[in-house]
Amino acid sequence: MEVERMWDDGQEGEEAAAPLRMLCRQQKAKRVVRRIYSTMSELLTFALFCTMLHPSHSEYASEPLTKMGINYGQVANDLPSDADAVTLIKSLGAGQVKIYNTDSGTLTALANTGLDVVIAVDNSIIPSLAASASTADEWIVTNVVAYPSTSITVILVGNEVFSTDPGILPQLVPAIQNLQTSLTNHGLTSVALSTACELSILSSSYPPSAGVFEQSAVSMLTPLLEFLDNTSSYLYINAYPYFAWASDPSGIPLDYAVFSTTSALLTDSQYSYTNLLEAQLDAVYYAMEALGYKNVRIALSESGWPTAGGTGANTTNAEAYNNNLVKFILSGVGTPKRPQVFVPTYVFALFNEDLKPGAATEQHWGLLYPNGTAVYSISLAGSSSSSGGSPGGGPSSPGGGGGGSNSNPPGSPDVCGDRASVLPLSVTFVGMLFNLRI
């Protein structure tokens, strides 16, 4: 009986303790849940903070991060057919093509090719597009809607308007806005709008931190940048280190101009520069920031090196510059001020164009002769049988030159503003969960 009583007492003790143990488990579970919620809240707050400081790639127009573009100019009387030109463009490894018109034959030839296409509005019709929404809509119907099988991704409204046609500047943004309204009405919201600007819109570009726009252009650039910021579009820039170098070949090292050195030849504040192009691009970033637009991205609508007609215009330098340009862009290194921010780039140009007016170099920018043979060895996919290195056939520079002291190598952590995050968000969150002590 005593044993049975002790057994009964034990059972009663266990039964009495069971609710307490259950309560403890519930309280511990609640603490874990609260910690998880707190962690998630902190991570979401951090992610939102990063987004406010530096918009993620997903907030901008779709961009093929491993594809170079090519400019397909047609100011010549000996060019191959559009169909043959498209074959040559693809053989070079390009993923994007930019044309300077809306030629029907060209747009038809580009259909179902896998190439993304940038088309252009001629400067001369900008006033009519600005004056009439119906005219803008007619332009979209004729030149975009009519080619559903052609991957038109960008419309550039005018080319170098600030220097070549300053009288139509007041009509530039209204024309862009009318075209935007038409694209929206036709459900073509993936097509972006911008304009191609010359680098001379900067009144100062050296050092990069002194980059500011010409005062006469500011009143027109401000609404343009506002539009680009609101639509997550790019400011397209035509930038040619060749012209800067050719104007001062004794003062600017050739290796610095053609990406053939990994040594920093310019230090500006906390940033170091190993090539001239990244310094030019950062000057534009600084100029936009000075107007309050630090999140607008840059695309390089034209860049290249001539093979004849001017100082240092030869196949050796052109081969070095363009091969190293491809390596630099496709590395994704960005610029010292905007590390790891990809810059969509269109090499100038596909063919030598014998009818181009102007300086003697104008007819000698092509990667190809009109008969389709290569002027020199290059691949826009990022590989070439050529060294693509130093001018004069010297050793190749790794990656076409670095991105300066604050540029992170490809594969390093993403950035939040100008600061690197420790780990991707998903990895950080999982790590925090596993570190919870239950």
Side-chain angles (χ1 to χ4, degrees):
M1 290 294 293
E2 185 65 27
V3 172
E4 290 177 357
R5 189 179 301 110
M6 291 174 64
W7 173 256
D8 290 340
D9 290 343
Q11 279 188 315
E12 290 174 359
E14 285 293 320
E15 292 173 358
L20 182 59
R21 284 197 296 271
M22 179 63 70
L23 179 61
C24 289
R25 291 193 189 100
Q26 289 174 346
Q27 290 177 339
K28 182 178 288 187
K30 288 179 180 178
R31 287 198 300 270
V32 170
V33 170
R34 282 197 298 268
R35 293 178 69 179
I36 291 174
Y37 278 136
S38 176
T39 299
M40 291 178 67
S41 177
E42 290 173 358
L43 288 170
L44 289 172
T45 301
F46 176 74
L48 178 60
F49 177 68
C50 283
T51 302
M52 292 171 64
L53 285 180
H54 186 74
S56 65
H57 289 305
S58 63
E59 290 186 345
Y60 293 90
S62 175
E63 57 180 17
L65 297 181
T66 58
K67 295 181 181 179
M68 291 289 293
I70 186 75
N71 281 281
Y72 176 20
Q74 298 167 300
V75 187
N77 59 9
D78 54 356
L79 298 182
S81 68
D82 286 317
D84 288 341
V86 168
T87 299
L88 291 168
I89 290 168
K90 297 187 76 174
S91 73
L92 286 170
Q96 305 176 82
V97 58
K98 175 172 160 281
I99 62 176
Y100 291 85
N101 51 41
T102 53
D103 179 76
S104 177
T106 305
L107 290 175
T108 300
L110 287 166
N112 302 308
T113 60
L115 294 168
D116 289 334
V117 181
V118 178
I119 62 175
V121 173
D122 190 81
N123 292 5
S124 63
I125 67 171
I126 289 175
S128 63
L129 297 177
S132 170
S134 61
T135 300
D137 186 65
E138 182 181 348
W139 193 95
I140 292 295
V141 170
T142 302
N143 299 298
V144 182
V145 177
Y147 301 96
S149 299
T150 302
S151 179
I152 298 171
T153 57
V154 179
I155 301 169
L156 294 182
V157 183
N159 183 56
E160 300 189 344
V161 176
F162 289 88
S163 62
T164 60
D165 288 295
I168 65 172
L169 281 175
Q171 284 80 49
L172 178 60
V173 173
I176 291 174
Q177 290 170 331
N178 280 344
L179 291 169
Q180 177 71 42
T181 298
S182 177
L183 288 171
T184 301
N185 291 341
H186 289 284
L188 299 171
T189 55
S190 63
V191 180
L193 284 156
S194 187
T195 189
C197 299
E198 57 276 43
L199 196 63
S200 61
I201 60 172
L202 296 176
S203 62
S204 173
S205 61
Y206 182 85
S209 61
V212 291
F213 291 117
E214 286 281 356
Q215 190 58 43
S216 60
V218 168
S219 62
M220 298 303 143
L221 275 167
T222 301
L224 173 64
L225 292 173
E226 181 71 15
F227 173 87
L228 299 178
D229 196 28
N230 290 339
T231 59
S232 298
S233 298
Y234 294 77
L235 178 66
Y236 282 73
I237 295 290
N238 298 339
Y240 291 92
Y242 168 75
F243 290 119
W245 172 81
S247 69
D248 186 16
S250 62
I252 301 175
L254 181 59
D255 283 353
Y256 182 64
V258 300
F259 303 89
S260 291
T261 178
T262 56
S263 300
L265 299 185
L266 170 64
T267 298
D268 181 19
S269 185
Q270 73 265 44
Y271 302 127
S272 296
Y273 295 87
T274 62
N275 67 76
L276 181 53
L277 179 65
E278 64 183 3
Q280 292 177 333
L281 295 179
D282 270 1
V284 178
Y285 283 127
Y286 274 108
M288 291 193 295
E289 283 192 9
L291 295 183
Y293 296 95
K294 65 180 182 179
N295 291 326
V296 175
R297 299 270 290 276
I298 290 175
L300 195 54
S301 40
E302 291 181 11
S303 195
W305 195 284
T307 54
T311 302
N314 56 58
T315 56
T316 300
N317 291 342
E319 182 176 8
Y321 179 83
N322 280 326
N323 276 291
N324 286 333
L325 171 67
V326 171
K327 292 176 186 177
F328 174 72
I329 295 299
L330 294 185
S331 74
V333 70
T335 71
K337 186 168 177 58
R338 291 288 181 268
Q340 292 185 280
V341 175
F342 182 77
V343 180
T345 297
Y346 301 81
V347 176
F348 189 84
L350 181 59
F351 296 114
N352 282 337
E353 299 172 66
D354 65 342
L355 298 183
K356 288 199 72 174
T361 56
E362 286 298 308
Q363 300 178 9
H364 303 285
W365 293 85
L367 306 185
L368 305 175
Y369 293 108
N371 64 8
T373 60
V375 177
Y376 48 83
S377 179
I378 187 170
S379 169
L380 299 181
S383 61
S384 172
S385 59
S386 163
S387 68
S390 300
S396 177
S397 61
S405 62
N406 280 24
S407 293
N408 300 323
S412 62
D414 199 2
V415 295
C416 175
D418 287 329
R419 297 184 295 273
S421 60
V422 178
L423 286 173
L425 182 63
S426 58
V427 176
T428 308
F429 177 63
V430 172
M432 287 185 176
L433 285 183
F434 277 106
N435 282 325
L436 289 175
R437 296 291 184 263
I438 300 176

